[in-house]
């Protein structure tokens, strides 16, 4: 490129080859051939977190005001299931990062470029960390269209061009202000919003089905509405500590956890340990080399609501995967559970996941053919109160909780009656279907924006009509 071309509109003062890749230049020319605006002019405000020193003033809580991080935004949606919480005092201190309805949330660090819209139906206040930009769009820019654009290939290419930093990639507000945003007609933007809202309705249905399954399981076990007690004294025989438990620490004998175990053991059809119902148990394997195209490498963050997100997982080289798969080959119906970190997450392996490699922070459980508990009910049990409390009880580790294979095999599993297992599987299947339909609609919204950019609004509207029949 000529020096004059490099310096033209180059407010970021970048002269590195990565910034001037041919695909980035072509993308910019395509967008500037349309009616467009810089995001700075098409928005009323773009806010971030404020001073990084404010992090020292935050105390994270088990409940309170949701505090979103970059990892909570994925595929056009916000995932509240593993967010942190802060109190009202911290929320007022972090006023610049408070989330308001209809704001576009955009990740600026880590997985740069993930976007979602804050919905009016959420329970506010909600806050967010320094990795998320809060964009309040101007009247001529619909926030749902804006988010769909950022998540489509033309928006992703722009965002991929911006990050700076040798290790931790980061994007700054002044860079976001220079994003090129095509501005279609109001009617087309509203059309994209309707598809986006339908997708979120499907996601809400998915959560409702999953919550219903959790409620049914806890009700069946007599643990619905269970709360830990304030009692903190337990008297045990010395011989018991060196018997089956082999533990002397006070945490293992927490009265609340002991009551959960007793309740599971009192179930009408009896109980067995995980060790008695499984054919094999195996830790995942370690890999640190990632590539753009390869074999999915399933990590803790790729497990949500009993499902494995193998599509968006990191990829490892096929040559490495061919060696590792002999150690951790998957079968349909295997159950994966977290062994380190976010203990309590579990998922069932489906056909779409069979080529994946499992990380060392996960444990694979393979049930016996005649196991009285099937894969989905087991995974749900491990993800809810009775399973999580037991896994935490058997875990060790001073800072990060971790559970070993022998300890996991001691977890007590009630032999849930057949009718209840059938109902649980039906509800989880309905949840999976609603989630897949939601993802399909989000993909349609993104592709509709792409067609409008590649061709025109008429062609995009016709394409949307064909995909949304019925």
């Amino acid at each position: 490129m000529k020096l004059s071309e490099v310096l033209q509109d180059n407010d970021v003062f970048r002269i590195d080859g990565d910034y001037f890749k041919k695909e980035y230049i072509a993308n910019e020319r395509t967008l500037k051939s349309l009616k467009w605006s810089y995001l700075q002019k098409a928005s009323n405000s773009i806010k971030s977190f404020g001073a990084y020193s404010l992090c020292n003033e935050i105390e994270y809580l088990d409940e309170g005001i949701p505090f979103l991080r970059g990892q909570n935004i994925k595929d056009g949606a916000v995932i509240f299931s593993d967010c942190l919480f802060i109190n009202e005092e911290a929320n007022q201190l972090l006023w610049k990062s408070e989330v308001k309805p209809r704001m576009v949330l955009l990740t600026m660090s880590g997985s740069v470029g993930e976007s979602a819209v804050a919905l009016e139906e959420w329970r506010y206040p909600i806050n967010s960390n320094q990795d998320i930009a809060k964009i309040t769009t101007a009247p001529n820019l619909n926030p749902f269209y804006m988010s769909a654009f950022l998540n489509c290939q033309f928006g992703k290419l722009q965002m991929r061009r911006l990050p700076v930093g040798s290790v931790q990639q980061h994007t700054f507000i002044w860079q976001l202000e220079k994003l090129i945003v095509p501005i279609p007609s109001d009617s087309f933007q509203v059309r994209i919003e309707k598809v986006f809202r339908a997708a979120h309705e499907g996601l809400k249905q998915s959560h409702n089905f999953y919550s219903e399954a959790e409620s049914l399981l806890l009700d069946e076990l007599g643990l619905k509405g269970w709360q830990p007690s304030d009692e903190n004294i337990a008297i045990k025989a010395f011989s018991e500590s060196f018997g089956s438990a082999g533990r002397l620490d006070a945490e293992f004998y927490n009265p609340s956890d002991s009551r959960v175990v007793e309740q599971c053991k009192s179930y009408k059809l009896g109980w067995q340990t995980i060790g008695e119902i499984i054919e094999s148990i195996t830790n995942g394997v370690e890999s640190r080399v990632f590539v753009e195209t390869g074999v999915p490498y399933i990590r803790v963050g790729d497990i949500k609501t009993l499902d494995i997100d193998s599509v968006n997982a990191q990829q490892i080289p096929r040559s490495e995967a061919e060696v590792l798969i002999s150690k951790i080959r998957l079968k349909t119906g295997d159950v994966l559970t977290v062994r380190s970190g976010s203990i309590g997450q579990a998922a069932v392996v489906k056909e779409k996941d069979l080529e994946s490699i499992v990380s060392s922070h996960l444990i694979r459980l393979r049930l016996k053919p005649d196991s009285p508990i099937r894969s989905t009910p087991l995974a749900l049990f491990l993800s809810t109160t009775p399973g999580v409390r037991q896994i935490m009880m058997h875990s060790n580790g001073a800072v990060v909780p971790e559970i070993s294979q022998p300890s996991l095999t001691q977890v007590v599993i009630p032999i849930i009656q057949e009718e209840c297992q059938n109902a649980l599987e039906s509800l989880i299947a309905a949840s999976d279907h609603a989630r897949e339909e939601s993802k399909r609609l989000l993909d349609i919204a993104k592709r509709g924006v792409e067609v409008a950019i590649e061709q025109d609004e008429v062609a995009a509207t016709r394409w949307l009509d064909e995909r949304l029949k019925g």
Side-chain angles (χ1 to χ4, degrees):
M1 295 183 66
K2 294 179 180 178
L3 180 61
S4 58
E5 293 176 321
V6 170
L7 297 178
Q8 184 179 4
D9 295 327
N10 189 355
D11 295 332
V12 294
F13 302 106
R14 294 273 295 271
I15 58 172
D16 53 288
D18 284 343
Y19 189 75
F20 292 99
K21 284 183 177 179
K22 291 182 179 180
E23 58 182 340
Y24 297 156
I25 302 300
N27 186 55
E28 181 177 327
R29 287 171 180 162
T30 297
L31 295 177
K32 286 187 173 180
S33 69
L34 308 168
K35 179 184 176 182
W36 65 279
S37 173
Y38 285 123
L39 181 58
Q40 184 179 28
K41 294 183 178 180
S43 60
N44 291 334
S45 70
I46 307 176
K47 294 179 181 177
S48 183
F49 183 77
Y52 274 71
S53 59
L54 292 174
C55 295
N56 300 325
E57 306 297 324
I58 303 173
E59 180 182 355
Y60 299 120
L61 310 172
D62 292 332
E63 56 183 24
I65 295 171
F67 188 70
L68 302 178
R69 297 168 291 171
Q71 65 197 62
N72 297 122
I73 300 176
K74 197 170 187 179
D75 295 335
V78 173
I79 303 165
F80 285 96
S81 59
D82 62 345
C83 71
L84 302 174
F85 297 93
I86 59 174
N87 59 25
E88 179 57 38
E89 184 180 350
N91 182 58
Q92 292 179 9
L93 178 68
L94 305 176
W95 62 271
K96 286 187 70 175
S97 57
E98 188 171 357
V99 175
K100 301 291 185 180
R102 294 182 67 86
M103 276 183 170
V104 177
L105 309 178
L106 178 62
T107 58
M108 301 192 300
S109 185
S111 298
V112 173
E114 294 288 341
S115 171
V117 179
L119 302 179
E120 297 91 338
E121 64 204 52
W122 292 350
R123 183 178 296 178
Y124 293 87
I126 298 171
N127 214 298
S128 59
N129 74 354
Q130 63 271 22
D131 293 336
I132 300 175
K134 275 67 61 179
I135 303 168
T136 303
T137 58
N140 69 327
L141 182 59
N142 185 298
F144 293 90
Y145 162 79
M146 175 64 187
S147 183
F149 167 71
L150 289 170
N151 285 319
C152 82
Q153 62 169 328
F154 295 99
K156 290 286 189 187
L157 275 174
Q158 277 198 96
M159 290 301 301
R160 203 180 300 159
R161 188 185 191 187
L162 298 182
V164 294
S166 56
V167 180
Q168 178 72 1
Q169 295 284 287
H170 192 85
T171 302
F172 298 93
I173 292 292
W174 54 269
Q175 292 175 289
L176 299 183
E177 292 174 345
K178 288 295 184 179
L179 283 175
I180 301 166
V181 183
I183 310 292
S185 66
D186 290 345
S187 60
F188 182 77
Q189 293 189 53
V190 169
R191 186 67 189 278
I192 295 298
E193 176 179 349
K194 289 180 178 179
V195 181
F196 226 96
R197 287 190 181 275
H200 282 287
E201 187 63 29
L203 196 59
K204 185 167 69 173
Q205 289 179 358
S206 175
H207 292 323
N208 289 342
F209 282 126
Y210 187 85
S211 296
E212 190 176 344
E214 282 186 319
S215 180
L216 174 61
L217 175 62
L218 294 176
D219 192 38
E220 177 72 14
L221 301 179
L223 287 167
K224 192 172 183 179
W226 177 89
Q227 292 292 331
S229 70
D230 295 329
E231 187 179 356
N232 59 6
I233 296 176
I235 299 175
K236 299 290 181 181
F238 190 67
S239 58
E240 185 178 342
S241 297
F242 280 100
S244 60
R247 294 275 292 267
L248 286 171
D249 54 298
E251 286 81 5
F252 184 78
Y253 299 100
N254 183 309
S256 293
D257 294 341
S258 298
R259 288 198 180 92
V260 169
V261 175
E262 290 167 6
Q263 186 67 26
C264 290
K265 287 184 175 181
S266 67
Y267 184 68
K268 54 192 172 186
L269 296 185
W271 60 275
Q272 291 184 5
T273 63
I274 284 183
E276 293 173 308
I277 65 173
I278 61 171
E279 180 181 282
S280 64
I281 180 170
T282 308
N283 285 355
V285 292
E286 184 70 26
S287 178
R288 296 172 186 248
V289 179
F290 301 119
V291 294
E292 285 193 16
T293 303
V295 174
Y297 182 64
I298 308 303
R299 299 183 294 178
V300 174
D302 300 316
I303 291 182
K304 293 285 189 305
T305 58
L306 308 195
D307 187 56
I308 300 169
D309 187 4
S310 53
V311 174
N312 293 309
Q314 288 273 21
Q315 308 274 310
I316 63 173
R318 290 194 173 275
S319 57
E320 183 182 9
E322 289 171 0
V323 175
L324 295 177
I325 200 167
S326 61
K327 302 177 182 178
I328 189 69
R329 189 179 299 276
L330 298 177
K331 283 178 60 176
T332 303
D334 284 348
V335 174
L336 302 183
T337 188
V338 177
R339 85 175 176 88
S340 177
S342 302
I343 282 180
Q345 295 284 350
V348 180
V349 174
K350 302 181 180 69
E351 191 170 346
K352 66 180 177 64
D353 311 313
L354 292 181
E355 291 187 358
S356 303
I357 301 297
V358 177
S359 88
S360 58
H361 291 283
L362 299 171
I363 291 178
R364 186 205 69 192
L365 301 173
R366 180 162 295 165
L367 295 174
K368 292 177 179 177
D370 59 348
S371 169
I373 298 293
R374 299 197 290 270
S375 299
T376 297
L378 173 61
L380 183 63
F381 178 88
L382 295 175
S383 300
T384 51
T385 299
V388 173
R389 296 294 298 204
Q390 286 193 73
I391 293 174
M392 290 300 294
M393 182 177 78
H394 285 283
S395 69
N396 51 51
V399 179
V400 178
E402 185 169 324
I403 189 163
S404 64
Q405 292 183 21
S407 296
L408 183 60
T409 59
Q410 296 178 41
V411 171
V412 170
I413 309 293
I415 309 303
I416 303 166
Q417 61 179 334
E418 191 77 9
E419 294 81 0
C420 184
Q421 291 198 55
N422 292 339
L424 293 174
E425 288 180 334
S426 295
L427 286 168
I428 296 302
S431 175
D432 290 344
H433 176 75
R435 185 176 59 252
E436 288 301 316
E437 179 64 9
S438 172
K439 185 179 183 305
R440 186 183 77 88
L441 289 170
L442 285 173
D443 288 340
I444 286 175
K446 290 187 292 185
R447 182 56 191 154
V449 172
E450 291 171 355
V451 173
I453 294 171
E454 293 166 352
Q455 300 180 44
D456 53 44
E457 286 184 36
V458 175
T461 302
R462 185 167 56 247
W463 185 90
L464 288 169
D465 288 339
E466 291 174 355
R467 297 302 183 280
L468 297 172
K469 284 180 181 177

